[in-house]
Amino acid sequence: MKVIELQNIYFSYSDRVILEDINLAVEKGEYLALIGPNGSGKTTLVKLILGLMEPVCGKVLVFGTPLKQFKDWHRLGYVPQRAVLNNGFPVTVREAAAAGRFGRIGLCRKLKREDWEAVEEALEMVGLLSLQHKPLLELSGGQQQRVFIARALAGHPDILILDEPQVGLDDRYLYDFYCLLKQLKKERAITIFIVSHDIGEIGSWADRIICLNKKVLYQGTPREVLNPAKLKDVYGMNLYAAN
Amino acid sequence: MDMLHYDFMIRALFAGLITGLICPALGVFLVLRRYSFMADTLAHISLAGVAFGLLIGVAAEFSLLFTLGVATVGALIADYLRVRSRLSADALLALVMSAGLALAVVFFGLSRGGALDITSYLFGSLMTVSAADLWLILIVGTIVLLFLIFMAKEMYFICSDEEAARVSGLPVDLLNRIFILLVAMTVAVSLRVVGTLLVGALMVIPVLTSLIVGRSFRQVVYLSLALGVLSSLLGLTASYQFGLAAGGCVVLVALAFFIVSYGIKQLFTLFKKRWVVKNG
């Protein structure tokens, strides 16, 4: 079953074409990585899927429903690329992660005990439960990023969309992070859609890789896609990825 | 306490109590969103509304309602421009603010006779709150508080991370619009007490003080409300005692709270640093 489907998507900013004739589908329960150089339109593609931008033409379907009619937003978890709050507001880790429940419980409702349990469980998954009462601003950039991953998980999504979440995560946590994604996929059948610049690591974790540079250049298993010739085609230089 | 023998003073204090409560309540979200100048912008539009009301001869008992109407329309225009134009937020606010002030000055000029009123609108006054105004302030205050009681968590999410809020399915555009309308209404009714030039300060300064002290979002909100009310009541009392402009007194009290909190915090931090260095 296709959980996300893009049909003939075009996107441009006034005179610059960003995405051209994009057709792709994300199958239920798969672990899909989107790679490509800077400016290749990866983030734009994610924003189109999330309805934060509208394509010039083409169709986006989420769980088989056109985006305009889609209502079950709580089924999507989103971890944005830039996730550092820097406006000096004192928010505790727990409060920040709790926002992930808002879409699920609906307007005007208060968080109940099961919501807080979901928040704590999500913080546990990213290894931050012991810091839950700390102010978010006292955490390092990488830890803050993990709070935002927890926020997405707290809503118990069916699909997790992550836009370069590795930015700011240190090497020590990065491995745990990839394991966590794998575990979510395995134990909860969550579909993972991750935008990555880390072509070295991602090959050993994802089921399928899509190379984007304005168009979908290649897609397939890491073994098929991550070979020097294809990567050179995508990035315009010699790159080697371990897989 | 002899000031309580005067009806006008009781009305002013009551109006001050409500504005002192709702201004920082909305201000928390303006500051969170880095939109602190929104209040000032809407205040200048409201001033244009006041001037236009004088020009076309709106009856005194309806003047506040009229101002409120103009502020609301101004807010909708500002919001439309925010969404549609590619101007940055500060540029947009500067644009709309100067447009409001320019219109106000021209309308005041055209209506002549209004010159006496201008200062009370610019700096606030104890004398101008009528019984009808007080009702309107009460109604606006109730609407704002109800909105925040039910929507605080959604507004918090939207103001701290609008994209994520949108993705979670919250009706972000609708809530933004309602919020901006509430700010406009609050600004318009607060003009009577604190005046155009200082209403923004009453929205923002108590919040900034709370940010120095507060340890969680909840604490910041409650502290802002308390400081807003306290500044408002103390300021109005000072204004009565010394015969000074109400808005100026209110904002100076709020500033005093800020400076004292800031000073104590600095001293505390210094002390703590020394202690850490000495004792490891």
Side-chain angles (χ1 to χ4, degrees):
Chain A
M1 187 195 146
K2 290 173 179 137
V3 288
I4 297 173
E5 205 178 348
L6 274 67
Q7 299 171 348
N8 309 100
I9 294 287
Y10 284 78
F11 186 86
S12 67
Y13 286 117
S14 56
D15 58 341
R16 226 179 98 226
V17 179
I18 307 292
L19 294 171
E20 217 179 308
D21 197 22
I22 304 289
N23 287 288
L24 66 87
V26 183
E27 295 290 335
K28 186 174 185 323
E30 79 171 329
Y31 186 154
L32 180 69
L34 183 70
I35 63 169
N38 287 339
S40 58
K42 302 188 295 286
T43 295
T44 306
L45 189 83
V46 168
K47 292 195 169 173
L48 289 172
I49 293 173
L50 295 170
L52 294 170
M53 290 176 165
E54 270 187 53
V56 175
C57 58
K59 235 164 125 181
V60 181
L61 302 169
V62 180
F63 295 109
T65 313
L67 217 47
K68 279 241 158 75
Q69 282 118 51
F70 185 66
K71 292 275 186 292
D72 299 329
W73 285 102
H74 61 265
R75 298 183 68 184
L76 263 63
Y78 169 50
V79 181
Q81 189 175 40
R82 149 226 67 78
V84 181
L85 292 178
N86 201 18
N87 50 8
F89 254 80
V91 179
T92 61
V93 167
R94 198 176 149 85
E95 283 177 322
R101 295 296 294 177
F102 294 175
R104 191 168 267 276
I105 61 177
L107 294 177
C108 304
R109 303 249 160 72
K110 292 238 175 301
L111 293 169
K112 296 202 188 74
R113 220 183 64 196
E114 69 251 33
D115 297 308
W116 287 113
E117 280 166 9
V119 171
E120 283 168 14
E121 185 198 26
L123 284 170
E124 171 85 71
M125 280 191 225
V126 298
L128 289 179
L129 190 59
S130 58
L131 301 180
Q132 62 166 328
H133 296 293
K134 283 237 163 203
L136 186 63
L137 292 169
E138 284 180 15
L139 270 56
S140 72
Q143 286 175 324
Q144 289 187 14
Q145 182 70 340
R146 281 149 69 182
V147 175
F148 291 103
I149 295 169
R151 181 177 74 184
L153 293 176
H156 290 165
D158 293 322
I159 310 178
L160 196 55
I161 298 178
L162 309 105
D163 190 359
E164 302 209 20
Q166 308 95 322
V167 177
L169 295 181
D170 61 22
D171 292 342
R172 196 166 46 114
Y173 183 69
L174 203 53
Y175 179 79
D176 290 347
F177 167 70
Y178 283 119
C179 289
L180 173 66
L181 292 186
K182 192 101 184 170
Q183 181 198 348
L184 289 169
K185 172 189 138 73
K186 227 164 107 184
E187 290 172 12
R188 308 198 169 189
I190 297 181
T191 309
I192 311 277
F193 183 97
I194 183 170
V195 173
S196 178
H197 62 273
D198 180 10
I199 54 169
E201 264 306 307
I202 200 69
S204 36
W205 299 93
D207 300 328
R208 195 155 66 93
I209 289 189
I210 293 182
C211 298
L212 185 79
N213 198 351
K214 220 154 87 170
K215 298 174 185 174
V216 174
L217 294 180
Y218 300 104
Q219 50 179 314
T221 63
R223 193 168 290 276
E224 288 165 5
V225 173
L226 296 179
N227 66 50
K230 282 182 180 156
L231 286 178
K232 187 176 181 193
D233 208 20
V234 176
Y235 287 89
M237 58 197 268
N238 287 319
L239 285 171
Y240 298 92
N243 61 48
Chain B
M1 279 295 125
D2 62 329
M3 65 180 184
L4 295 178
H5 295 310
Y6 299 102
D7 278 353
F8 78 88
M9 199 53 209
I10 293 176
R11 285 198 299 268
L13 283 173
F14 202 54
L17 177 76
I18 301 171
T19 50
L21 202 61
I22 59 178
C23 281
L26 293 171
V28 167
F29 297 99
L30 287 177
V31 175
L32 178 60
R33 178 167 232 181
R34 301 180 172 222
Y35 235 46
S36 303
F37 269 104
M38 191 68 199
D40 287 287
T41 305
L42 292 173
H44 286 80
I45 296 175
S46 303
L47 189 66
V50 171
F52 192 56
L54 283 176
L55 176 63
I56 61 171
V58 174
E61 54 266 44
F62 294 117
S63 75
L64 190 58
L65 195 62
F66 183 78
T67 309
L68 201 146
V70 172
T72 311
V73 173
L76 287 176
I77 294 173
D79 190 54
Y80 177 82
L81 290 174
R82 183 182 75 86
V83 178
R84 286 301 161 91
S85 77
R86 298 215 151 228
L87 289 173
S88 65
D90 64 328
L92 175 69
L93 293 183
L95 186 82
V96 179
M97 191 191 297
S98 25
L101 189 56
L103 283 173
V105 170
V106 169
F107 289 152
F108 271 125
L110 286 173
S111 69
R112 301 193 198 284
L116 248 181
D117 278 315
I118 299 179
T119 44
S120 83
Y121 282 111
L122 287 180
F123 305 112
S125 157
L126 296 174
M127 316 288 278
T128 46
V129 182
S130 70
D133 293 346
L134 195 55
W135 275 113
L136 200 58
I137 293 175
L138 195 62
I139 293 168
V140 170
T142 311
I143 297 173
V144 168
L145 290 179
L146 280 179
F147 175 78
L148 289 179
I149 287 169
F150 287 108
M151 292 292 175
K153 86 179 187 323
E154 283 81 3
M155 285 314 300
Y156 156 70
F157 196 10
I158 291 173
C159 293
S160 60
D161 193 341
E162 187 168 321
E163 277 198 346
R166 225 176 258 280
V167 172
S168 80
L170 293 182
V172 173
D173 292 324
L174 178 69
L175 289 175
N176 270 338
R177 206 154 296 149
I178 294 175
F179 178 74
I180 215 168
L181 284 179
L182 292 179
V183 175
M185 286 159 71
T186 302
V187 165
V189 297
S190 305
L191 285 192
R192 284 285 205 253
V193 185
V194 269
T196 314
L197 296 181
L198 293 167
V199 59
L202 184 57
M203 285 199 155
V204 172
I205 296 174
V207 181
L208 299 181
T209 311
S210 313
L211 283 177
I212 296 176
V213 185
R215 296 274 296 168
S216 73
F217 188 70
R218 189 176 288 266
Q219 282 180 14
V220 169
V221 172
Y222 290 138
L223 208 55
S224 304
L225 297 183
L227 286 170
V229 171
L230 217 53
S231 310
S232 194
L233 295 183
L234 287 176
L236 291 178
T237 309
S239 160
Y240 172 83
Q241 295 293 349
F242 306 112
L244 298 166
C249 292
V250 170
V251 172
L252 279 180
V253 173
L255 261 176
F257 280 125
F258 177 81
I259 291 167
V260 170
S261 316
Y262 187 78
I264 291 176
K265 174 96 174 187
Q266 289 300 83
L267 278 177
F268 184 73
T269 318
L270 194 73
F271 185 72
K272 206 170 154 190
K273 271 186 197 159
R274 291 237 170 109
W275 191 86
V276 167
V277 172
K278 253 191 200 161
N279 302 301

